[in-house]
């Protein structure tokens, strides 16, 4: 396997790891945090929360890894976009890491809440709500950052034909929808349906890279 083919496989695997890790981690965390009185349960289920956070951290590492592995290939066509993709993936990862602070804080908050006798309508609930809101805002900002800069990324893929153009177009639609969904969520509406095109791209494109790789005629050896 030559270096470019190996890079394609690594990028594809990292995309899938990032997607699987975030979905799994978020599911573990939200299954506890979405309960009506989650402060009663978070501390007793802290191991589940910690595993969820670790999975989300794996996602953060994977998204930076994607940009680093892609850099030498993208640089051949546009160094500024290649550098920008690394930078914005790092920003995305940092925002996602900030978002994991909320669930970790709620573990300690839950412990204090239980020790205080689980008082109703206490400041514990206010702090817990603020921690949850902070995580929500960090995630939505990360999605805006990812969505907007990935439009440049997919435009470069379209121009260079490193992958089939229909995939690049799906990426353009998907990442535009991703940014739109985050904005809709920040405005207080449900934008989950707008995640679908981006999620589809981040499954189909990595599978394509693993099976077919990049268009070798567009890569200088």
């Amino acid at each position: 396997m030559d270096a470019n083919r190996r890079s394609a496989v690594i990028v594809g695997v990292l995309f899938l790891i990032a997607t699987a890790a975030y979905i799994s981690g978020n599911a573990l965390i939200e299954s506890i945090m979405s309960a009506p009185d989650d402060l009663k349960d978070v501390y007793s289920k802290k191991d589940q929360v910690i595993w969820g956070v670790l999975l989300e951290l794996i996602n953060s590492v994977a998204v930076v890894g994607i940009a680093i592995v892609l850099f030498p290939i993208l640089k051949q066509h546009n160094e500024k976009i290649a550098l920008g993709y690394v930078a914005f993936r790092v920003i995305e990862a940092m925002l996602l890491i900030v978002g994991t602070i909320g669930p970790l804080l709620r573990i300690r908050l839950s412990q204090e809440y239980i020790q205080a006798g689980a008082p109703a309508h206490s400041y514990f609930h206010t702090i817990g709500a603020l921690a949850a809101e902070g995580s929500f805002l960090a995630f939505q900002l990360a999605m805006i950052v990812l969505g907007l800069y990935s439009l440049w990324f997919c435009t470069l893929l379209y121009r260079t034909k490193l992958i089939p153009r229909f995939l690049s177009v799906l990426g353009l639609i998907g990442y535009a929808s991703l940014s739109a969904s985050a904005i809709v969520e920040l405005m207080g509406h449900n934008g989950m349906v707008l995640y679908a095109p981006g999620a589809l791209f981040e499954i189909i494109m990595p599978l394509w890279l693993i099976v077919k790789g990049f268009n070798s005629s567009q890569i200088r050896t």
Side-chain angles (χ1 to χ4, degrees), residues 14 59-69 86 89-91 93-94:
L14 286 174
N59 165 64
S60 297
V61 172
V63 298
V64 174
I66 289 167
I68 291 172
V69 176
V86 174
R89 279 296 204 175
V90 169
I91 294 170
M94 294 305 296

Side-chain angles (χ1 to χ4, degrees), residues 52-198:
V53 167
L54 288 174
L55 285 167
E56 291 193 358
L57 292 176
I58 289 172
N59 165 64
S60 297
V61 172
V63 298
V64 174
I66 289 167
I68 291 172
V69 176
L70 278 173
F71 178 76
I73 295 171
L74 299 181
K75 181 183 176 182
Q76 296 179 16
H77 303 280
N78 192 309
E79 185 171 359
K80 289 182 180 179
I81 291 179
L83 281 170
Y85 190 61
V86 174
F88 277 82
R89 279 296 204 175
V90 169
I91 294 170
E92 175 201 351
M94 294 305 296
L95 286 168
L96 292 173
I97 290 170
V98 168
T100 64
I101 295 173
L104 294 175
L105 286 175
R106 284 160 75 92
I107 293 175
R108 181 58 184 271
L109 186 65
S110 174
Q111 183 183 21
E112 297 290 335
Y113 176 71
I114 293 168
Q115 289 175 351
H121 309 295
S122 66
Y123 69 90
F124 290 104
H125 295 283
T126 302
I127 296 172
L130 287 173
E133 184 67 14
S135 295
F136 170 79
L137 291 174
F139 174 76
Q140 300 304 337
L141 289 174
M143 293 304 97
I144 292 174
V145 166
L146 170 63
L148 291 179
Y149 198 82
S150 290
L151 295 176
W152 290 99
F153 168 62
C154 289
T155 298
L156 183 60
L157 292 179
Y158 182 87
R159 290 174 178 171
T160 59
K161 300 180 184 179
L162 284 168
I163 60 174
R165 281 186 161 174
F166 79 89
L167 280 180
S168 301
V169 171
L170 177 60
L172 287 167
I173 295 170
Y175 286 122
S177 297
L178 183 63
S179 292
S181 71
I183 294 169
V184 168
E185 291 281 347
L186 288 173
M187 293 173 66
H189 305 291
N190 189 342
M192 286 299 294
V193 68
L194 294 173
Y195 280 97

Side-chain angles (χ1 to χ4, degrees), residues 13-26:
V13 170
L14 286 174
F15 261 106
L16 295 178
I17 288 173
T19 300
Y22 187 82
I23 291 174
S24 301
N26 185 254

